[in-house]
Amino acid sequence: MIAGIGYDSHRLEAGRRLVVGGVEIPDAPLGLAGHSDADVLAHAVIDALLGAAGLGDIGMHFPDSDERWRDADSIELVADVRSMLPAPPLHVDCTVVCERPRLGPWREQMAARLAEALGLEPASVNVKFTTGEGMGFVGRGEGIAALAVATLA
Ligand SMILES: [Zn+2]
């Protein structure tokens, strides 16, 4: 069994969709800024998978400079990465660090979306939430961060 870690963060801006773990959060006043859909959780999971597989990082496979990835649906990128893996994923655990909005109501939907992209049962994807307790860029509501650990067979 091998494991990899992933970390990502994106700025919150007006006029952007808020997509986390493949779920678009309705009526969010701010969304995540980035070249793709800026799904911070999907990106952390991708880096964890690539890390476990020894395949570098997300920027090597889906560079910002490539127009193919503009507004890309990051859940599809998770599925793309799954197809690159030398061994099937077994489990993904992740944490989203977000002050607001409260994302708890979408936990199961996010786990289901990620699990589907990875060919896993929803129970094999664990999504956790915490805040910045008012500290740092997360605490000030400037952005959202996510961490993930992926385990491969
Ligand atoms: Zn990202």
Side-chain angles (χ1 to χ4, degrees):
M1 229 165 49
I2 44 175
I5 66 163
Y7 170 81
D8 194 29
S9 60
H10 282 268
R11 272 177 294 115
L12 281 164
E13 286 184 0
R16 291 278 303 183
R17 299 185 304 145
L18 178 57
V19 181
V20 182
V23 178
E24 182 164 350
I25 310 303
D27 304 319
L30 302 174
L32 292 171
H35 186 68
S36 65
D37 62 5
D39 185 336
V40 67
L41 177 53
H43 293 179
V45 168
I46 285 171
D47 259 0
L49 294 165
L50 291 172
L55 290 172
D57 64 36
I58 189 170
M60 290 167 53
H61 296 275
F62 309 106
D64 277 4
S65 53
D66 192 326
E67 282 305 306
R68 269 184 300 171
W69 316 123
R70 179 173 295 283
D71 299 322
D73 181 344
S74 296
I75 277 287
E76 287 178 18
L77 304 186
V78 173
D80 285 355
V81 167
R82 178 193 171 205
S83 70
M84 300 175 197
L85 300 175
L90 293 176
H91 185 264
V92 172
D93 184 29
C94 40
T95 298
V96 182
V97 193
C98 175
E99 208 72 9
R100 70 190 77 81
R102 293 293 166 151
L103 298 172
W106 288 278
R107 181 196 310 270
E108 284 177 22
Q109 247 180 291
M110 291 177 192
R113 290 278 282 156
L114 289 164
E116 189 185 0
L118 292 168
L120 289 171
E121 293 298 316
S124 299
V125 177
N126 191 66
V127 181
K128 309 185 296 297
F129 302 101
T130 189
T131 71
E133 293 276 338
M135 298 177 288
F137 73 90
V138 168
R140 290 188 297 269
E142 294 169 5
I144 296 177
L147 306 96
V149 172
T151 310
L152 306 185

